[in-house]
Amino acid sequence: MIKQQLAGAAIISMSLLVVGCANAYQSSEGSQSYSSSKVGAITQQTAAGNILADAQGMTLYTFDKDSQGISKCYGPCEQKWPPLKSKVEIDEMDFSTVSRKDGSLQLRYKGQPLYLWVGDKKPGDTTGNGIKGVWHIVPVVK
């Protein structure tokens, strides 16, 4: 009887978790969340503070050499700093998209193209912050 009750509670909990993740992400710190189904970005509490991350919790970065909201990171650069791509055009809150040379869409935050860093291995890692003085985490102020 107790095993059946625990199994039922686990199924209900998993169902609620799946539904919650499909709609939006809310960090445990109660920080701002964005619709992961459309925007693909969340806020993540890290040792570096409250920062922007992709829907899997991987830290996002901006590149100082980008200008006028257009990416300058191609070839070997984009191998190390994959652009955060979007399947649909976005223009909501502080987020928008910009077309890359290959026609794909890259997500921008406040006009800045967003990137991942291949050196980050798990959610919350910020090992790309400050590399060559031109790569920066994206702080999110509450």
Side-chain angles (χ1 to χ4, degrees), residues 6-16:
L6 289 174
I11 291 170
I12 291 170
S13 295
M14 287 302 293
S15 298
L16 292 173

Side-chain angles (χ1 to χ4, degrees), residues 58 117-127:
M58 299 303 290
W117 164 238
V118 297
D120 287 345
K121 301 302 179 197
K122 64 184 185 314
D125 282 354
T126 58
T127 63

Side-chain angles (χ1 to χ4, degrees), residues 13-105:
S13 295
M14 287 302 293
S15 298
L16 292 173
L17 179 64
V18 169
V19 169
C21 289
N23 292 327
Y25 175 88
Q26 181 76 26
S27 80
S28 61
E29 298 297 319
S31 59
Q32 188 173 3
S33 63
Y34 306 102
S35 168
S36 13
S37 62
K38 186 161 184 183
V39 174
I42 62 171
T43 57
Q44 177 86 4
Q45 185 62 40
T46 69
N50 201 24
I51 63 171
L52 202 59
D54 73 358
Q56 288 73 44
M58 299 303 290
T59 300
L60 293 172
Y61 298 87
T62 58
F63 184 40
D64 286 348
K65 295 183 179 183
D66 289 344
S67 63
Q68 299 175 336
I70 306 295
S71 176
K72 302 290 184 197
C73 183
Y74 288 93
C77 176
E78 88 181 292
Q79 297 302 311
K80 293 179 182 178
W81 298 93
L84 181 61
K85 295 191 177 179
S86 176
K87 294 181 182 184
V88 296
E89 285 188 33
I90 296 171
D91 187 11
E92 64 178 57
M93 297 189 299
D94 293 325
F95 292 92
S96 60
T97 49
V98 64
S99 292
R100 293 185 55 80
K101 290 179 183 177
D102 65 3
S104 65
L105 295 171

